[in-house]
Amino acid sequence: MKIALGQINPIVGDIAGNTRKIIAAIQQAQRQGAQLALFPELSIIGYPPRDLLLKPSVIALMRDAVETIAQACAGCAAVVGFAEPNPARVGRPLFNAVALVHQGNILAVQHKSLLPTYDVFDETRYFEPESKVELTPFCGSMLGLSICEDLWNDEQFVERQLYHANPIGALAQAGAGILLNISASPFTTGKHAFRQKLFGHQARRWGRPIVYVNQVGGNDELVFDGNSMALDAQGQVIAQARDFAEDLLIVEVAADSSASAAMPVAGAARPRDGIAAVHAALVLGLRDYAHKCGFKSVVLGLSGGIDSAVVAALAAEALGPANVVGVSLPSRYSSSHSKSDAAALAQRLGISYETVAIESVHAAMETALGPIFAGTVPGLAEENMQARIRGNILMAMSNKLGHLLLTTGNKSEVATGYCTLYGDMCGGLAVISDVPKTMVYTLARHINQLAVDAGRPAPIPESTLTKPPSAELRPNQTDQDSLPDYDTLDAVLQRYVEQEKSTWDIINEGFDRDTVLRVARLVDLNEYKRKQMPPGLKVTSRAFGFGRRMPIAQRYDARAMAKAPETPVP
């Protein structure tokens, strides 16, 4: 069977636009001889639709869209994702569904069995899980239709099963010749390699080819990497779609056989990994967030430091240099190299560059607050005035000129509260809020190397890469006045935030006890700041945002966990 993998970039809620995109891809697939075209999970509305699913009008429009797509399938059938009502009086109101449509008819509908409720997923809020699987006959083959998570619960492969069933095994045992999976699987570092291993294991275990289509594009915090693929019955990848871009991949699959021939789109690149994949995800996430929210341009503060330099470079690549405005906001403490590095960066990137000195505003605020602050020792409040002045100016530019304001704080700063609420946290998108400081440097060098390889000057000045990082809110300030060195800090944060290890676990790995306790306390104390920051693009397994639901008013004591447990933790 010749199958097209319709790797599309839907806009959440744009049912009419997504339907047109699906129909255009079906028509292209038919011209290339495909008999069946697959599209991602909930492709008609885009993933994740969240509480749009609570609107009855949305559910009705999706059903209409399925019928419209069915009418467009004259020669090539399609498999599309949508949500449909649950007719039962008990249970969640909807099913996460996949429909096979052809020649004006809805030939089959299958519901998702496994509903994720971890990390960024909350599907049981809306959907009822399906308890049974059914085969779908088409073109002389028995198809096994499944949706995303249904493919992820192999008891021989995953360390801890979250569900009691393996729908893929059930489909194979029922006699499916080809296993089809439509997905909306967001990017995190290393995830695509894990997918290949898991899907390869499933294909080998059940002796069936697997055809997997994934959504691509950025939707709010999530970035979907595409990387749709087909595997033969021996678990070998026989066709691979592009990463971080729309694609239509045609593959010929023989049921119950390894004799399959792949016909990929000409020039398709191998999937990127490591820092190259993070870079691609951030560019795509930024571009889609701006465009899907209606912004054509962005503005950001340029401090001469590494974080703003990386965000500026990502923005220039995502939106084009002509649509990026960098603003230098020097204070009495700004060094000459900070100003010159910011100007050099802007010139090399080809972005607009403005300077708005904040000294007069800073002095005016000090004068206005002088009587109230009299008798107190100057400290953090006075330092933060500068960040808040800068945030106010940048927000004014955003409001007046219609730019999306980008924040430049990295994950290490956001984790420890080394950022100013209503100051450098002001903005519409926190581009690198899930990128640890040490990774920011790796990303900067990667960006520079890409430019050099393309025959252009490296955009980020070497001095920006080598000078000690500083907020420059007081004389001779460096980040390490307040924080551990970033190698140590990021290692502790990775364990405490992403792996949820106790302080004892981390100390027991050889980290300094006082450092671990100080970092843990900073993380826990600054939850209130993170709740008020703009959405940030997720690239790691555990990002700050709606996937990490920590309370603000709480008394969890990380210090009490800094001793050997009396009983072993299972």
Side-chain angles (χ1 to χ4, degrees):
M1 184 183 302
K2 192 174 287 189
I3 301 174
L5 281 64
Q7 182 174 290
I8 63 170
N9 183 349
I11 297 177
V12 170
D14 186 8
I15 293 173
N18 297 336
T19 299
R20 289 192 296 270
K21 185 185 286 283
I22 290 168
I23 290 173
I26 292 169
Q27 292 169 345
Q28 183 181 347
Q30 182 171 326
R31 289 192 295 270
Q32 296 186 46
Q35 298 161 282
L36 180 64
L38 307 184
F39 296 93
E41 177 180 13
L42 292 174
S43 46
I44 289 174
I45 191 172
Y47 193 96
R50 300 185 187 168
D51 280 6
L52 288 177
L53 293 170
L54 302 181
K55 298 179 181 293
S57 59
V58 167
I59 306 306
L61 287 171
M62 274 194 276
R63 185 68 180 198
D64 291 345
V66 173
E67 294 175 355
T68 299
I69 293 167
Q71 293 295 329
C73 293
C76 177
V79 169
V80 295
F82 70 111
E84 74 167 3
N86 176 9
R89 294 177 60 86
V90 177
R92 297 294 189 271
L94 300 171
F95 287 109
N96 187 337
V98 53
L100 172 63
V101 296
H102 191 215
Q103 296 179 341
N105 299 307
I106 300 174
L107 302 182
V109 173
Q110 178 67 43
H111 300 144
K112 189 173 184 178
S113 297
L114 308 183
L115 304 178
T117 57
Y118 54 86
D119 192 31
V120 298
F121 305 105
D122 193 11
E123 292 198 17
T124 57
R125 179 179 175 89
Y126 315 102
F127 300 122
E128 180 72 7
E130 182 56 77
S131 58
K132 63 183 184 300
V133 298
E134 296 179 353
L135 300 184
T136 303
F138 182 73
C139 280
S141 295
M142 299 301 292
L143 306 180
L145 301 178
S146 64
I147 303 175
C148 202
E149 191 85 350
D150 291 343
L151 187 53
W152 286 73
N153 196 48
D154 188 292
E155 69 276 8
Q156 293 185 0
F157 191 86
V158 294
E159 184 175 349
R160 179 181 179 85
Q161 285 184 276
L162 298 179
Y163 316 95
H164 297 282
N166 182 349
I168 297 301
L171 287 167
Q173 290 171 339
I178 303 174
L179 300 169
L180 306 178
N181 183 267
I182 67 168
S183 186
S185 177
F187 168 81
T188 58
T189 52
K191 190 173 187 179
H192 181 60
F194 180 81
R195 287 190 201 116
Q196 285 186 318
K197 292 178 182 177
L198 172 61
F199 300 170
H201 173 81
Q202 290 265 48
R204 286 190 301 275
R205 179 181 180 188
W206 304 112
R208 302 292 192 278
I210 292 176
V211 182
Y212 159 86
V213 63
N214 191 27
Q215 178 174 288
V216 71
N219 285 330
D220 293 349
E221 297 98 321
L222 302 183
V223 182
F224 298 85
D225 56 312
N227 273 316
S228 303
M229 56 184 158
L231 302 92
D232 64 21
Q234 278 65 53
Q236 298 299 309
V237 175
I238 59 172
Q240 172 72 58
R242 293 190 295 169
D243 61 359
F244 304 102
E246 288 192 309
D247 205 352
L248 185 71
L249 182 69
I250 310 295
V251 59
E252 192 165 352
V253 180
D256 305 310
S257 170
S258 61
S260 304
M263 294 178 292
V265 173
R270 295 181 61 183
R272 283 164 281 192
D273 59 10
I275 200 63
V278 171
H279 171 250
L282 293 172
V283 170
L284 177 58
L286 170 52
R287 178 187 298 127
D288 274 3
Y289 187 85
H291 288 169
K292 292 179 181 181
C293 291
F295 290 96
K296 296 180 180 178
S297 57
V298 297
V299 64
L300 72 157
L302 295 183
S303 66
I306 190 72
D307 299 317
S308 62
V310 165
V311 174
L314 293 169
E317 183 174 350
L319 302 174
N323 298 309
V324 180
V325 179
V327 186
S328 174
L329 299 141
S331 75
R332 69 189 67 158
Y333 302 122
S334 297
S335 60
S336 59
H337 62 75
S338 293
K339 291 178 278 190
S340 62
D341 284 349
L345 172 79
Q347 190 273 327
R348 295 180 191 184
L349 288 174
I351 66 175
S352 298
Y353 181 66
E354 304 287 348
T355 299
V356 181
I358 69 167
E359 174 56 34
S360 60
V361 184
H362 187 194
M365 283 194 68
E366 288 180 319
T367 299
L369 289 167
I372 298 172
F373 285 6
T376 64
V377 177
L380 196 59
E382 286 79 5
E383 292 179 21
N384 286 343
M385 272 186 212
Q386 298 160 77
R388 294 192 171 111
I389 291 166
R390 289 175 172 132
N392 201 352
I393 290 170
L394 291 170
M395 280 303 305
M397 293 180 68
S398 172
N399 293 160
K400 187 70 173 178
L401 303 173
H403 306 310
L404 170 65
L405 175 55
L406 305 179
T407 71
T408 60
N410 61 66
K411 188 173 189 176
S412 309
E413 295 171 347
V414 169
T416 56
Y418 198 70
C419 46
T420 304
L421 200 56
Y422 322 122
D424 55 311
M425 296 180 76
C426 283
L429 181 67
V431 181
I432 59 170
S433 63
D434 196 33
V435 182
K437 185 76 168 190
T438 48
M439 188 186 290
V440 172
Y441 281 98
T442 305
L443 186 57
R445 293 187 177 93
H446 175 75
I447 289 169
N448 276 356
Q449 189 61 52
L450 287 177
V452 171
D453 291 345
R456 302 189 306 271
I460 300 174
E462 185 63 24
S463 55
T464 297
L465 286 159
T466 55
K467 65 187 175 185
S470 171
E472 293 193 327
L473 299 178
R474 62 175 183 266
N476 303 314
Q477 183 184 28
T478 67
D479 291 3
Q480 267 56 67
D481 296 340
S482 305
L483 298 173
D485 68 89
Y486 279 116
D487 285 336
T488 300
L489 175 62
D490 286 352
V492 173
L493 290 174
Q494 201 272 336
R495 289 160 174 79
Y496 190 67
V497 174
E498 295 183 29
Q499 298 179 6
E500 297 289 1
K501 289 188 174 183
S502 71
T503 48
W504 164 253
D505 292 328
I506 302 170
I507 293 165
N508 204 36
E509 288 186 41
F511 290 90
D512 174 70
R513 182 179 188 276
D514 290 342
T515 298
V516 171
L517 292 178
R518 182 157 66 97
V519 170
R521 179 167 173 77
L522 288 172
V523 171
D524 295 341
L525 282 178
N526 285 285
E527 189 62 33
Y528 78 101
K529 284 189 180 182
R530 294 187 290 270
K531 285 290 191 295
Q532 300 178 69
M533 77 176 188
L537 301 176
K538 174 179 167 66
V539 295
T540 72
S541 62
R542 189 84 158 128
F544 296 117
F546 73 94
R548 186 178 185 270
R549 306 176 188 183
M550 301 299 288
I552 297 173
Q554 51 96 359
R555 291 187 180 178
Y556 171 78
D557 186 1
R559 184 172 293 272
M561 301 294 108
K563 58 183 180 180
E566 295 180 4
T567 57
V569 178

